[in-house]
Amino acid sequence: MLDSSSNYSPTIVYRPIRPSDLDVLEQIHIALFPIRYEREFFLDVVHGRGIISWGAVDINRPDGRDDELIGFVTTRINAGKDSEIEDLFRYNASRNDLCLLYILTLGVVEDYRCLGIASSLVQEVIKYASSIASCRGVYLHVISYNQPAINFYKKMLFRLVRRLSHFYYIRGRHYDSYLFVYYVNGGRSPCSPLEIVTAFLVYFRGFLRMLISKLQRTESNKNLPRWYRCKEANSLMVNQNKRIISADDTTCQHV
């Protein structure tokens, strides 16, 4: 964390990742992630070869490194029909142009955490996905023991949709993964059987209430004496021809 007792205040700016970020980007990945990425991955990121990325820099750094990455997010567009989660989206399968945006990596250096940088980077991703008419969602995997990341994506309104057994293999050990999805452009998940049953029960309960209320009103009217119903009808006819003068308006109106 930055020293809160000093007068220094960071000024965070977001920009595309550039070739000049190559070494710093690789160093941050090594420091943050248990998975080792090939050099080719970082070259693809900085040159934009199939990867869309955003970086965060502090242009008010007192050490003068005002263009050095302090945070990043890397993403890739996947075709919807080739995606591992195609069944989670409600769209016309006959459309071959529909796609999804996959978050590859997201990270912020330790000194700049708890400043909302990760949230802003994810918002950039969501905004970009939403701007693509054929995109239906943003998705990612989180290793099962990373509780801070799980809490973060829930806070960002991502939906935890699956647990994948033995998804990661790190240092000779398997780990499960949680799959998170954020739907955009109407790409909602199809209703599960439980959701369908729940919706039917809610509708049926409302219908019963309406029917019972109608029956109760009918029974109440039947129990009224005939002379009272006639009196009520005559009163209504009189009121329809009556003029009322408002206390604060001298104009007359028919009721």
Side-chain angles (χ1 to χ4, degrees):
M1 288 290 295
L2 296 172
D3 185 5
S4 59
S5 62
S6 67
N7 293 326
Y8 162 65
S9 177
T11 303
I12 310 302
V13 173
Y14 302 92
R15 62 165 174 79
I17 294 179
R18 303 192 288 249
S20 58
D21 298 318
L22 178 61
D23 292 337
V24 172
L25 181 68
E26 187 171 5
Q27 291 168 11
I28 300 176
H29 274 76
I30 292 173
L32 295 182
F33 303 117
I35 299 173
R36 292 294 172 258
Y37 294 87
E38 299 291 336
R39 181 74 170 183
E40 191 66 24
F41 167 76
F42 300 107
L43 289 171
D44 288 342
V45 173
V46 299
H47 291 291
R49 295 198 294 248
I51 294 179
I52 306 100
S53 61
W54 292 263
V57 297
D58 178 7
I59 62 174
N60 196 32
R61 286 182 70 159
D63 57 9
R65 295 183 294 171
D66 54 6
D67 198 43
E68 183 176 302
L69 288 181
I70 58 170
F72 59 86
V73 61
T74 64
T75 68
R76 180 179 62 223
I77 294 177
N78 292 335
K81 61 184 179 62
D82 298 329
S83 147
E84 62 185 301
I85 58 170
E86 181 185 12
D87 60 303
L88 292 178
F89 292 82
R90 183 186 300 167
Y91 57 70
N92 187 352
S94 64
R95 287 190 58 183
N96 294 323
D97 63 325
L98 297 178
C99 64
L100 308 169
L101 192 61
Y102 180 65
I103 295 180
L104 296 163
T105 59
L106 168 70
V108 177
V109 299
E110 187 173 357
D111 287 344
Y112 283 87
R113 290 178 185 171
C114 301
L115 296 177
I117 296 174
S119 298
S120 295
L121 287 167
V122 171
Q123 287 294 346
E124 290 293 328
V125 173
I126 293 172
K127 183 169 64 175
Y128 176 75
S130 300
S131 71
I132 304 173
S134 60
C135 186
R136 291 297 179 266
V138 178
Y139 73 109
L140 65 131
H141 298 92
V142 176
I143 198 164
S144 57
Y145 62 73
N146 193 346
Q147 194 60 47
I150 293 169
N151 294 339
F152 168 76
Y153 285 109
K154 286 182 176 179
K155 184 185 73 172
M156 295 297 295
L157 303 181
F158 279 70
R159 291 186 60 181
L160 199 170
V161 293
R162 280 180 185 165
R163 180 170 182 144
L164 306 172
S165 299
H166 299 95
F167 184 84
Y168 293 104
Y169 185 72
I170 304 172
R171 302 189 185 102
R173 182 177 175 183
H174 285 99
Y175 295 91
D176 292 353
S177 165
Y178 289 114
L179 178 62
F180 284 88
V181 179
Y182 187 100
Y183 300 107
V184 299
N185 300 328
R188 298 174 298 164
S189 63
C191 293
S192 66
L194 178 59
E195 290 174 325
I196 294 174
V197 171
T198 302
F200 173 77
L201 290 176
V202 170
Y203 169 80
F204 187 67
R205 184 173 59 183
F207 174 76
L208 283 180
R209 286 178 176 174
M210 180 188 71
L211 187 61
I212 291 172
S213 176
K214 187 175 181 179
L215 290 173
Q216 288 175 340
R217 287 198 302 269
T218 302
E219 288 298 322
S220 297
N221 289 336
K222 287 181 179 179
N223 293 331
L224 287 175
R226 184 178 178 184
W227 65 268
Y228 183 85
R229 293 200 298 270
C230 292
K231 179 181 178 182
E232 188 179 48
N234 290 334
S235 175
L236 179 61
M237 292 175 63
V238 170
N239 285 336
Q240 286 177 340
N241 294 316
K242 185 178 179 182
R243 290 178 179 268
I244 297 178
I245 301 178
S246 172
D248 55 353
D249 188 352
T250 57
T251 60
C252 297
Q253 55 182 328
H254 287 285
V255 177

